[in-house]
Amino acid sequence: NPVLVGTPTILTATVTGYTPTGNVAFKNGTATLGTVALSGTGNTRTATYSATITTAGDKSLTAVYAGNTNNLTATSTARTQSVSKSTTTASVSSSLPSATQGQSVTFTASVTGYNPSGNVVFKDGATTLATKALGGTGNTRTATYANTTLGVGEHSITVDYVGNASNNTSSSTAIAQTIVGKAPTSTTLASSTNPSIAGQSISLTATVTPTTGPLPT
């Protein structure tokens, strides 16, 4: 105590009576976390429960003994359990670290924490490019964003995770994204028949050739 969200903590209830037997309910406020049978011998016996709390804040934990034929029920004094948000890590990657202007580049954000949910913000320096919701399951989740509008030059791409009730915010390390100018092209035109007769079908073929970069479309 304190503990991070999603980190198990062992709760131990001790019941003293006349050879008490039966169950102890471990509670967070009015919500039951789990019910465990007492174990041991004699007039003082114990029950333990591994509790995983999924939201941050101060929790009021109690143990409630259900009683038996020889023993009355009993509730422990409340214990305050401090639960802190889980730390998170964010990262971003590019599908095409060097791209031609206008070419689609997909950025993928990855956030690791305790079942992280909510949004990530994709940024180019201080400029927000897009806000996307995390998807997937488990403790590592992702979001993607496709961009075709970055200008020619070097760009510093980051993602900020906004956090949620269980997870702290985090920011990724910046990655470099290079956008180069559109590749120059040359175009030639050929005719299937030259000269031709009026009314004759002619096939015209245009050939576009880039000097660098991807094939033209």
Side-chain angles (χ1 to χ4, degrees):
N1 191 3
V3 68
L4 292 178
V5 163
T7 302
T9 183
I10 303 299
L11 304 179
T12 301
T14 302
V15 177
T16 299
Y18 177 69
T19 59
T21 59
N23 294 329
V24 174
F26 293 87
K27 290 181 173 287
N28 174 15
T30 59
T32 299
L33 297 172
T35 301
V36 179
L38 286 170
S39 63
T41 59
N43 290 334
T44 297
R45 303 187 181 186
T46 60
T48 60
Y49 175 72
S50 179
T52 300
I53 299 174
T54 59
T55 58
D58 287 340
K59 312 299 180 181
S60 180
L61 303 184
T62 55
V64 180
Y65 171 52
N68 64 3
T69 302
N70 297 320
N71 294 274
L72 293 172
T73 63
T75 300
S76 72
T77 300
R79 173 179 290 274
T80 299
Q81 175 71 49
S82 296
V83 183
S84 301
K85 288 186 178 184
S86 175
T87 56
T88 62
T89 56
S91 63
V92 62
S93 62
S94 170
S95 63
L96 198 62
S98 182
T100 301
Q101 185 181 22
Q103 197 170 7
S104 181
V105 178
T106 298
F107 298 106
T108 300
S110 178
V111 177
T112 299
Y114 179 73
N115 296 328
S117 61
N119 294 331
V120 289
V121 181
F122 292 84
K123 290 185 173 181
D124 176 13
T127 301
T128 296
L129 297 173
T131 299
K132 299 290 184 179
L134 288 171
T137 58
N139 290 333
T140 299
R141 304 188 181 185
T142 59
T144 59
Y145 163 62
N147 179 280
T148 59
T149 61
L150 290 176
V152 173
E154 296 292 328
H155 299 268
S156 180
I157 306 298
T158 58
V159 292
D160 293 337
Y161 171 52
V162 301
N164 64 5
S166 301
N167 293 274
N168 278 317
T169 62
S170 59
S171 297
S172 72
T173 301
I175 61 169
Q177 177 65 51
T178 303
I179 302 295
V180 297
K182 290 186 177 181
T185 60
S186 61
T187 303
T188 60
L189 178 64
S191 170
S192 62
T193 306
N194 190 8
S196 62
I197 299 171
Q200 184 178 2
S201 177
I202 302 169
S203 294
L204 302 177
T205 302
T207 301
V208 181
T209 304
T211 58
T212 60
L215 293 175
T217 57

